[in-house]
């Protein structure tokens, strides 16, 4: 289906570009995170390259969601460093680089503009239509002209297969439709990175496929993505790399063929034996 006649810049947003500024989009180094006495992330290090899709799997409580929330500084780390698109996220270095000091909120907000996040629950504004949800941040955060945002928003709705739903409110949409709106809303900010936190876990089985198809298309177009998911079929088909977490550490990672046919770690073998 042909998209409307829009500018190259808007096409960039719709197609998952502009591309990140650096080859390594996410660079997490020795990250530690505690909730009280609970040590949730234990010296976690991971890199995600430009245009790479990394799927993170593991049992509940393994630290998967906490990791990506730290990437977006929705959770504060206690030690380590996380760089996104070449920038230290959430903090600035002090004491000659020996310690971290939390950055100003306006700087953190600006950094988050480079990161799109899609949650388990859709978090749409219930009092706004589908189109209004999509254009809210581009207009009020990025300062995009309203008319330009409307064109982009309609193109994004068409892109996720919901062009006919622009004036519909979230409570009139299915779960799968709401999640596709949430993806379009994240894309509207032209992110360098997309984070997905189990985006299909709250959906009825028949709605999962429509959301995964949008995500597959993003991966094919080269969007850099970290996906926390139990959808092993998606991981096999789309992931460049699969990462297994357990008890706050990365126990194994590799390409899908290796990971699913010849895992090396006993914990990975046990986990896969229970879900495949």
């Amino acid at each position: 289906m042909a998209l409307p006649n829009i500018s190259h810049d808007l096409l960039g947003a719709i197609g998952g570009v502009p591309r990140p500024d650096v080859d390594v989009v996410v660079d997490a180094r020795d990250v530690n995170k505690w909730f009280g006495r609970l040590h949730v992330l234990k010296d976690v290090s991971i890199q995600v390259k430009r245009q790479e899709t990394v799927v993170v799997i593991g049992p509940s409580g393994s630290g998967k969601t906490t990791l990506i929330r730290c990437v977006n500084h929705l959770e504060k780390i206690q030690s380590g460093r996380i760089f996104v698109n070449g920038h230290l996220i959430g903090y600035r270095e002090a004491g000659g680089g020996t310690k971290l000091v939390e950055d100003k909120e306006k700087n953190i907000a600006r950094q988050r503009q480079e990161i799109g996040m899609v949650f388990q629950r859709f978090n749409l504004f219930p009092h706004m239509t589908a189109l209004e949800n999509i254009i809210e941040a581009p207009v009020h955060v990025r300062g995009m002209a309203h008319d330009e945002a409307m064109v982009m928003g309609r193109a994004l709705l068409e892109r996720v297969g919901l062009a006919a739903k622009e004036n519909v409110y979230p409570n009139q949409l299915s779960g799968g439709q709401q999640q596709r709106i949430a993806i379009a809303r994240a894309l509207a900010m032209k992110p360098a990175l997309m984070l997905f936190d189990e985006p299909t876990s709250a959906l009825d089985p028949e709605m999962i496929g429509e959301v995964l198809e949008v995500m597959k298309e993003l991966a094919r177009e080269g969007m850099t993505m970290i996906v926390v998911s139990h959808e092993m079929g998606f991981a096999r088909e789309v992931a460049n790399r699969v990462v297994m977490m357990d008890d706050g550490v990365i126990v194994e990672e590799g390409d899908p063929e290796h990971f699913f046919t010849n895992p090396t770690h006993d914990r990975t073998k046990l986990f896969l034996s229970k879900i495949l």
Side-chain angles (χ1 to χ4, degrees), residues 31-35 76-80 91 100:
V31 172
N32 283 275
K33 170 66 183 177
W34 283 266
F35 291 112
K76 301 175 183 179
I77 64 175
Q78 275 77 45
S79 67
Y91 298 91
L100 295 179

Side-chain angles (χ1 to χ4, degrees), residues 195-215:
L195 305 174
F196 292 87
D197 181 16
E198 299 191 31
T200 60
S201 65
L203 301 179
D204 292 334
E206 64 268 23
M207 298 176 184
I208 290 173
E210 62 191 40
V211 173
L212 291 180
E213 193 54 45
V214 173
M215 296 169 63

Side-chain angles (χ1 to χ4, degrees), residues 76-258:
K76 301 175 183 179
I77 64 175
Q78 275 77 45
S79 67
R81 305 284 191 277
I82 301 177
F83 297 86
V84 175
N85 208 16
H87 307 295
L88 183 63
I89 287 293
Y91 298 91
R92 55 184 175 83
E93 293 181 334
T98 60
K99 65 178 182 178
L100 295 179
V101 177
E102 190 164 15
D103 208 344
K104 296 178 180 178
E105 187 57 41
K106 67 176 182 179
N107 293 333
I108 296 171
R110 184 166 58 248
Q111 290 173 327
R112 285 199 185 111
Q113 293 179 27
E114 299 183 354
I115 307 169
M117 188 158 185
V118 178
F119 300 86
Q120 296 179 38
R121 294 290 176 178
F122 325 118
N123 292 351
L124 298 176
F125 298 117
H127 62 290
M128 294 183 180
T129 66
L131 182 58
E132 288 169 342
N133 265 279
I134 293 170
I135 70 171
E136 174 72 9
V139 170
H140 295 287
V141 177
R142 286 203 179 274
M144 181 180 288
H146 186 268
D147 289 348
E148 187 178 20
M150 292 282 283
V151 172
M152 180 185 68
R154 287 180 174 129
L156 283 167
L157 280 169
E158 185 170 345
R159 187 180 189 284
V160 299
L162 294 171
K165 302 293 186 180
E166 69 170 74
N167 294 316
V168 175
Y169 289 89
N171 65 1
Q172 299 170 297
L173 298 169
S174 70
Q177 289 171 333
Q178 289 186 62
Q179 195 62 296
R180 282 185 282 163
I181 297 295
I183 293 172
R185 180 177 64 178
L187 289 174
M189 290 297 286
K190 308 178 187 178
L193 169 70
M194 286 286 286
L195 305 174
F196 292 87
D197 181 16
E198 299 191 31
T200 60
S201 65
L203 301 179
D204 292 334
E206 64 268 23
M207 298 176 184
I208 290 173
E210 62 191 40
V211 173
L212 291 180
E213 193 54 45
V214 173
M215 296 169 63
K216 290 176 186 178
E217 185 62 27
L218 285 176
R220 287 190 287 265
E221 293 171 355
M223 171 61 76
T224 307
M225 303 195 296
I226 304 177
V227 182
V228 172
S229 180
H230 293 296
E231 298 293 337
M232 296 300 106
F234 173 84
R236 283 179 181 269
E237 180 181 349
V238 178
N240 301 106
R241 185 157 42 105
V242 182
V243 172
M244 168 75 185
M245 291 191 68
D246 185 47
D247 194 27
V249 300
I250 295 174
V251 298
E252 185 168 358
E253 58 182 294
D255 65 80
E257 182 177 359
H258 153 78

Side-chain angles (χ1 to χ4, degrees), residues 19-90:
R19 297 295 181 223
D21 299 327
V22 294
D23 290 331
V24 177
V25 180
V26 178
D27 184 5
R29 307 174 187 174
D30 301 319
V31 172
N32 283 275
K33 170 66 183 177
W34 283 266
F35 291 112
R37 295 182 179 181
L38 182 62
H39 198 177
V40 181
L41 298 178
K42 305 171 182 177
D43 292 318
V44 171
S45 296
I46 186 173
Q47 288 189 337
V48 180
K49 297 179 180 179
R50 177 166 45 185
Q51 300 186 343
E52 189 176 24
T53 296
V54 173
V55 176
V56 184
I57 67 171
S60 297
S62 60
K64 308 182 303 295
T65 291
T66 300
L67 175 60
I68 64 169
R69 287 177 64 86
C70 288
V71 169
N72 205 14
H73 199 63
L74 294 176
E75 298 290 352
K76 301 175 183 179
I77 64 175
Q78 275 77 45
S79 67
R81 305 284 191 277
I82 301 177
F83 297 86
V84 175
N85 208 16
H87 307 295
L88 183 63
I89 287 293

